[in-house]
Amino acid sequence: MLKIIEGKEKRPLKVVIYGPEGIGKSTFASKFPDPLFIDTEGGTSNLDVRRIKCNKSWDELLLIVKEVIKNPTICKTLVLDTADWSETLCINAVTEKYRKNNIEDFGYGKGYVYLLDEYTKLLTLFDQVIEAGINVVITAHAKPRKFELPEEQGAFDRYEMKLTKQVAPVIKEWSDALFFTNYKIYVVTTESNRRKAQGGKRVLYTTHNPTYDAKNRFDLREELELDFKSIAHLFEGLEQPVKEPELSLTVQRLNKMIVDAGISELELQEVVAEKGHYELSVLVQNYSDEFITRWIIPNWERVLETIKNKKGEQ
C-alpha cells in the first residue's frame, strides 16, 4: 500500500558554507542550534564551542559520525569544519590503501574515482545523521578559478569550493543550501571624480551567480547579512526526535550478562571507573565493543568478585 505524504515536510537541514579564509564561516556555524564541531584543521580553537579534534585519519572521521548517529541527543547540529581538510584525509586513506604516493599515481583519473567512492561514504553517513534528527553543516574554503565563456571573448574569476572537481559537485547536490560568503565592496566616486573601493561588509550569497556558486531551496533573498538571524526562521518547528541508541550485539550480550549475574549497571560502571578505563558518568551502552570483548568479558569473574567484595564492605 502506498504511503502518500502531502504538503511540506519539516526535517533537519543540510547546509554548506564556503568562503575566503578568515571571513567567519566557523563563527557563523557556531550560531546554529546546539552545534558539535568535528574540527579537522584546528580552526575552532578561538571559539567557545564543543568540538572533537579529527586531523589524523579518515577512518577516525567516519567513526565519529557513526557515534553521533548512535547518540542522537548529543547535539542538534553537527558541523564538519572543513570539507577541504576532510578531503585531504580521504585522499590519504585512498593512497595508503592502494600503496600510491599521491592521487595522480593511479593514472587515467582512476584515483579520483576511488576518492569519490570513498567520500560518498561520509555523505551517506550524514544522511543518517539527518534521519536521526540532527542538522548537518559543512564549511569549506573558497578558491577563484579563471572561467571562460566559449561564445564570448574574455574571462573572469569564479569562486568555487576548494575541493577536487569530483567531490565538490556531490557536496553541492547533497546540500539543501550552498551559501557563499564574501566581503561586499562598494565603489564610490570622490569629490575629485576618482573612484575608490570602500566598505567590506560580510555578505551571505544564496543563489547562483556567474562569479560564484550558490543555491537554496527556501526562497531566500539573493544577499543576506552574514548573521544567523538571517536564516534562523528555517529552523523554526524543527524538533529533535528522542531516539534510543541502537545497541551493538556486543553491548546486548553484556547487558544479558549483567542481568544473569544479578548486578546493576552502576555497579559495573564503578568497577570500570576505579580501574581507570571510563569515567563513572559513561553509561555501559557507550562502552566500545573492543573494550567489552578484550577486558570486561575475559575478566568477568574478577569483576563480579570485586562487586561482591564491595557489597560486603558496606
Side-chain angles (χ1 to χ4, degrees):
M1 185 175 179
L2 298 177
K3 185 179 180 181
I4 299 175
I5 301 173
E6 293 186 11
K8 294 182 179 181
E9 186 177 8
K10 278 285 189 178
R11 65 157 175 79
L13 305 183
K14 300 182 283 188
V15 179
V16 178
I17 309 161
Y18 78 107
E21 183 177 354
I23 196 169
K25 299 180 295 293
S26 300
T27 301
F28 180 58
S30 72
K31 305 302 180 183
F32 280 64
D34 187 22
L36 173 63
F37 278 73
I38 302 177
D39 189 341
T40 62
E41 66 164 15
T44 67
S45 299
N46 294 323
L47 296 177
D48 184 15
V49 295
R50 292 185 301 146
R51 68 181 66 81
I52 300 172
K53 294 282 189 178
C54 179
N55 57 6
K56 295 181 180 178
S57 87
W58 175 251
D59 287 340
E60 180 189 14
L61 174 57
L62 297 182
L63 181 60
I64 289 171
V65 179
K66 289 176 183 177
E67 286 298 313
V68 172
I69 295 169
K70 291 180 182 178
N71 299 275
T73 59
I74 195 170
C75 64
K76 292 182 180 178
T77 304
L78 183 64
V79 183
L80 175 63
D81 190 60
T82 60
D84 27 307
W85 281 74
S86 70
E87 186 188 56
T88 299
L89 295 178
C90 190
I91 290 173
N92 292 340
V94 169
T95 53
E96 288 175 10
K97 179 179 179 180
Y98 293 97
R99 299 181 180 179
K100 302 290 185 181
N101 290 325
N102 60 67
I103 200 72
E104 298 287 350
D105 284 353
F106 289 88
Y108 303 104
K110 194 172 182 180
Y112 292 101
V113 175
Y114 292 140
L115 170 64
L116 180 58
D117 288 344
E118 189 64 32
Y119 203 90
T120 301
K121 293 179 182 178
L122 177 61
L123 297 181
T124 299
L125 287 176
F126 280 157
D127 282 335
Q128 295 179 39
V129 173
I130 294 293
E131 291 174 5
I134 301 171
N135 303 297
V136 177
V137 174
I138 299 176
T139 67
H141 292 98
K143 65 176 181 180
R145 181 171 70 89
K146 191 67 70 177
F147 190 80
E148 296 186 13
L149 295 175
E151 67 274 12
E152 295 182 17
Q153 293 184 350
F156 57 90
D157 285 336
R158 186 173 191 271
Y159 281 99
E160 300 174 345
M161 285 185 283
K162 193 178 178 181
L163 297 165
T164 60
K165 294 181 180 179
Q166 290 72 29
V167 171
V170 295
I171 290 182
K172 176 187 174 183
E173 181 181 355
W174 169 86
S175 68
D176 296 318
L178 174 66
F179 294 142
F180 172 60
T181 181
N182 203 357
Y183 300 99
K184 185 167 185 177
I185 306 299
Y186 300 91
V187 178
V188 298
T189 303
T190 65
E191 293 180 358
S192 58
N193 236 9
R194 297 182 61 183
R195 304 180 73 187
K196 72 173 186 177
Q198 69 176 26
K201 179 181 178 182
R202 295 181 304 164
V203 176
L204 197 68
Y205 297 98
T206 69
T207 57
H208 179 79
N209 185 282
T211 57
Y212 56 80
D213 211 358
K215 76 167 191 177
N216 81 89
R217 297 171 177 164
F218 313 109
D219 262 342
L220 297 173
R221 296 200 316 270
E222 291 186 8
E223 294 182 16
L224 298 172
E225 185 178 351
L226 185 59
D227 189 318
F228 181 72
K229 294 178 182 177
S230 302
I231 61 170
H233 63 281
L234 300 179
F235 298 86
E236 294 175 359
L238 289 179
E239 294 187 4
Q240 186 184 30
V242 178
K243 177 182 176 183
E244 292 297 325
E246 296 180 5
L247 303 180
S248 68
L249 293 177
T250 304
V251 173
Q252 292 179 39
R253 178 186 175 188
L254 177 58
N255 285 341
K256 186 176 185 303
M257 292 169 61
I258 292 172
V259 173
D260 292 344
I263 65 174
S264 68
E265 290 189 11
L266 180 58
E267 289 173 327
L268 175 58
Q269 289 170 234
E270 290 175 344
V271 174
V272 170
E274 288 174 359
K275 297 297 182 180
H277 296 292
Y278 282 96
E279 295 290 335
L280 182 59
S281 59
V282 178
L283 300 177
V284 171
Q285 67 186 26
N286 293 328
Y287 290 170
S288 71
D289 289 353
E290 182 179 11
F291 172 65
I292 294 172
T293 55
R294 291 193 177 185
W295 191 85
I296 293 183
I297 294 177
N299 295 289
W300 186 242
E301 294 301 324
R302 292 183 181 179
V303 170
L304 295 180
E305 185 178 350
T306 301
I307 293 174
K308 180 180 179 181
N309 292 336
K310 287 172 65 69
K311 287 181 177 179
E313 294 173 358
Q314 294 176 352

